[in-house]
């Protein structure tokens, strides 16, 4: 059973992304939204942690939140998929349950 | 699919009510049903019809009111959370002896059972908060 | 009791999990989350609670709130059993990081690893975290 | 000593307005002057006189109203932050064509200049927030 | 301009430092902090801004907010010079941790170590952080 | 010039205490309040960091917030002083400026 997790907090500021990664099972997905999108950037001090978690978890990032924060797709860790709000809705339908790491 | 949406933060202070709105709009556009939006914690502040945001900014409450009216969405404000924070409809204001009420007509005040019901009845309950 | 909702949703029992990740008193989330837990149990749903991250502080023994002028709501955790809420799980890693043991907790809980909690979470129909 | 106090969060959701209240009470008791309390961000919600907290909990707004009245403290709500969030006094409500107002009489609505002035005039400006 | 406050506070110039530690859009603090900064400058005070922790994201180039339906307020940082606000400091450690360089920023800033920022902070009369 | 810093966030959840420590100069004071009081506990994964910072910075913790959270003085790192609200007021008067690490 595949679960969708959202993380909306900056990984530089809070532990939500860490907690999410440590409790997301293999085969589940994590969608980074709002201030959580900073977790998708490459070359940061948390990028390695995210890259490692991608072995087993699929990562997505919300494009409109990235753009709002001045981040273009080429700054994103390779393999993280960018989705819009319609894609966010699709992800919730395609996973069997949902947890927001507030 | 049938969605329930839970909003835990008030307008402007956190992005939660904005993201939830964009999500709901996209869900409706994709043909899904929004069974209910439940406003909890500071989320109850979204229901206030006294807000006057700057002209060059979005109006979070108006966005929700229009989406709800156009799509007949059930908008429920948690009564306990609302009482704590000074959000009242006309009935509540009278019952509590308060001199005014401040909830926009499209919202209705009810109990937490409405949230649990959304959890039971919906295919997915999607939470937006801080 | 034959409340209207019990008629409507009769027979529908979903697995609800509440993940408590925030410390008490600094913010209201722990208290208002507990209110949802109680109502969910009143709807005869399958309820489990997880305490992880700073949520483990919610059930620390000996809370004495007179000095901060707020209500001590921790006794309510002890009352959960009376509502047939008996699935209380605590994250061992979070306890360890905070220098706490099961002895420090106000209620009987099952201490689990994050891997075990992840398994449990995945079996749920509805997961809420405030 | 002359204190200014800045409160950035609303009642109940965060402890900020409670801690600030205990601080102000202690400062007054020690013979200090509270030159002004400035309510900014969600702090403006403290000024609402429509709140009905549970009987067994504290009333954050009442606490402040009583302390302010007893000690003649200048209580200022930021107008821009208040407009966004639906907090209005009678003048503002009329000016904005809103049907109600919801600010307790002891609070006055004014601009951010009042915060800057507190910074200039006070020996210490002490901030409470999230 | 002879605004009343200028008469009253004439001659009093204090050192105000604003420490920006939060990312934009997810919460309103960055925007409402900027409003305080502008008013403080209008009072002819000695203003400096520090961007540290996630606050460095506030001045990231290329912010495009149409997709989230919120107002892009980042151009205001470029207007600060017009208000004689020229002391903008950025924490190098925070930039490095986030994979950013001064090239990524919308305004000219002085990049400093935390030790240097600590020295500056200690010289201030009023420090605000939202 | 001695400065008073307050930290009101849990060090297990956010970076505020780290940031405060890294920008508090020798001779300054840090008062832990609200959820920040957890930073004063001994035997936690952040206790070493706090103990090290005490070489140069004086730490205080707000007693009423400790009690509310079920923590007694014997759980506190030795050398951290417990104060009440009156003590909080005194600290602000005895330091020359103030910064809240929100």
């Amino acid at each position: 059973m595949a679960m969708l997790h959202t993380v909306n907090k900056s990984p530089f500021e809070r532990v939500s992304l860490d907690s999410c990664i440590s409790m997301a099972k293999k085969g589940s997905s994590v969608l980074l939204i709002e201030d959580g999108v900073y977790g998708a950037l490459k070359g940061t001090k948390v990028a390695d942690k995210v890259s490692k978690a991608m072995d087993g978890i699929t990562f997505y990032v919300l494009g409109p939140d990235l753009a709002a924060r001045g981040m273009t797709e080429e700054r994103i860790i390779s393999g993280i998929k960018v989705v819009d709000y319609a894609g966010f809705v699709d992800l919730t339908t395609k996973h069997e349950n949902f947890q927001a790491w507030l | 699919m049938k969605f329930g949406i839970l909003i835990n933060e008030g307008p402007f202070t956190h992005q939660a009510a904005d993201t939830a709105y964009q999500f709901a709009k996209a869900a409706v556009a994709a043909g899904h049903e929004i069974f209910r939006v439940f406003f909890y914690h500071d989320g109850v502040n979204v229901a206030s019809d006294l807000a006057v945001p700057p002209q060059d900014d979005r109006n979070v409450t108006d966005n929700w009111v229009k989406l709800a009216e156009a799509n007949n969405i059930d908008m429920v404000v948690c009564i306990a959370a609302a009482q704590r924070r000074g959000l009242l409809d006309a009935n509540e204001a009278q019952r509590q002896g308060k001199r005014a009420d401040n909830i926009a007509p499209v919202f209705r005040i009810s109990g937490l059972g409405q949230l649990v019901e959304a959890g039971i009845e919906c295919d997915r309950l999607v939470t937006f908060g801080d | 009791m034959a409340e209207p909702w019990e008629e409507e949703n009769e027979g529908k029992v979903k697995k609800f999990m509440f993940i408590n990740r925030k410390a008490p008193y600094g913010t209201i989330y722990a208290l208002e989350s507990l209110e949802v837990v109680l109502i969910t149990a009143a709807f005869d749903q399958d309820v489990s609670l997880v305490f992880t991250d700073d949520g483990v502080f919610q059930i620390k023994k000996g809370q004495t709130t007179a000095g901060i002028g707020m209500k001590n709501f921790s006794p309510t955790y002890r009352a959960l059993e009376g509502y047939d809420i008996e699935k209380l799980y605590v994250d061992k890693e979070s306890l360890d990081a905070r220098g706490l043991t099961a002895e420090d907790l106000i209620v009987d809980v099952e201490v689990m690893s994050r891997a075990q909690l992840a398994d449990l979470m995945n079996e749920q129909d509805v997961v809420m975290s405030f």
Side-chain angles (χ1 to χ4, degrees), chain A, chain B, chain C:
Chain A
M1 181 152 157
M3 190 158 177
L4 176 65
H5 304 261
T6 55
V7 173
N8 74 335
K9 288 291 169 292
S10 163
F12 306 107
E13 163 69 14
R14 302 214 205 177
V15 297
S16 336
L17 181 62
D18 286 335
S19 297
C20 172
I21 288 174
S22 73
M23 291 202 209
K25 286 178 72 72
K26 281 204 180 231
S28 62
S29 301
V30 174
L31 170 62
L32 304 170
I33 68 171
E34 300 176 352
D35 290 345
V37 301
Y38 295 121
L41 299 180
K42 61 187 173 196
T44 74
K45 73 169 179 182
V46 305
D48 272 0
K49 191 158 53 185
V50 174
S51 296
K52 243 179 244 165
M54 288 170 68
D55 175 29
I57 300 169
T58 310
F59 276 77
Y60 300 86
V61 61
L62 197 55
D65 275 324
L66 270 182
R69 289 157 182 81
M71 299 298 174
T72 50
E73 294 200 19
E74 60 258 35
R75 293 188 89 121
I76 298 308
I77 295 167
S78 152
I80 298 186
K81 294 161 196 167
V82 180
V83 298
D84 59 9
Y85 292 104
F88 183 176
V89 173
D90 276 353
L91 285 173
T92 59
T93 65
K94 283 170 185 152
H95 290 76
E96 286 164 86
N97 55 8
F98 177 92
Q99 150 72 347
W101 292 86
L102 300 180
Chain B
M1 204 168 244
K2 203 188 273 188
F3 281 103
I5 291 177
L6 170 60
I7 298 181
N8 291 335
E9 298 296 334
F12 303 107
T13 306
H14 295 87
Q15 201 185 339
D18 293 287
T19 305
Y21 166 72
Q22 301 288 351
F23 179 91
K25 214 168 61 165
V28 166
H32 298 294
E33 179 194 346
I34 309 286
F35 173 79
R36 181 170 294 153
V37 183
F38 193 86
F39 296 86
Y40 197 39
H41 304 299
D42 270 1
V44 300
N45 291 315
V46 174
S48 168
D49 64 359
L50 299 185
V52 189
Q55 302 266 332
D56 60 350
D57 204 349
R58 82 281 190 203
N59 187 318
V60 179
T61 303
D62 274 4
N63 280 349
W64 273 109
V65 167
K66 281 172 194 151
L67 189 72
E69 283 173 348
N71 299 281
N72 204 18
I73 301 174
D74 188 22
M75 307 279 276
V76 181
V77 174
C78 172
I79 186 163
Q83 283 179 341
R84 268 195 191 100
R85 291 167 179 86
L87 273 285
L88 304 169
D89 63 9
N91 274 344
E92 268 295 292
Q94 197 179 6
R95 206 166 64 87
Q96 304 287 354
K98 291 290 181 179
R99 62 190 175 81
D101 58 275
N102 55 351
I103 285 191
V106 77
F107 297 88
R108 66 185 180 90
I109 284 198
S110 189
L112 278 169
Q114 300 282 313
L115 170 61
V116 180
E117 194 191 49
I120 296 170
E121 294 297 329
C122 293
D123 299 302
R124 300 288 181 279
L125 180 68
V126 186
T127 305
F128 298 89
D130 178 34
Chain C
M1 291 202 312
E3 305 282 359
W5 63 74
E6 293 184 271
E7 310 258 330
E8 275 175 47
N9 302 304
E10 200 163 11
K12 275 206 201 179
V13 176
K14 281 194 172 181
K15 293 178 129 181
F16 281 74
M17 175 176 275
F18 296 89
I19 304 187
N20 297 289
R21 297 183 53 243
K22 294 179 183 167
Y25 307 113
T27 56
I28 202 174
Y29 302 104
L31 167 61
E32 290 191 330
S33 169
L34 200 47
E35 294 180 358
V36 183
V37 167
L38 295 173
I39 301 285
T40 308
F43 274 69
D44 292 323
Q45 301 297 300
D46 179 348
V47 174
S48 42
L49 270 70
V50 171
F51 297 90
T52 181
D53 290 336
D54 280 348
V56 302
F57 287 131
Q58 293 177 16
I59 46 174
K60 172 73 180 65
K61 274 181 190 162
Q63 299 176 27
T64 312
T65 57
I68 60 169
M70 290 168 70
K71 182 189 163 189
N72 173 7
F73 61 96
S74 66
T76 308
Y77 295 104
R78 274 202 298 240
L80 291 177
E81 227 182 329
Y83 293 85
D84 291 325
I85 301 170
E86 288 166 348
K87 297 177 187 169
L88 273 58
Y89 309 109
V90 171
D91 171 28
K92 181 170 190 308
E93 191 181 308
S94 297
L95 284 181
D96 291 349
R98 289 159 184 78
L100 299 176
T101 67
E103 300 296 296
D104 288 308
L105 307 181
I106 201 170
V107 277
D108 281 338
V109 295
E110 200 169 332
V111 178
M112 283 191 170
S113 70
R114 293 208 158 185
Q116 289 174 299
L117 292 171
D119 284 340
L120 275 178
M121 196 188 311
N122 249 46
E123 293 165 7
Q124 305 299 315
D125 297 308
V126 181
V127 184
M128 284 195 238
S129 171
F130 296 101

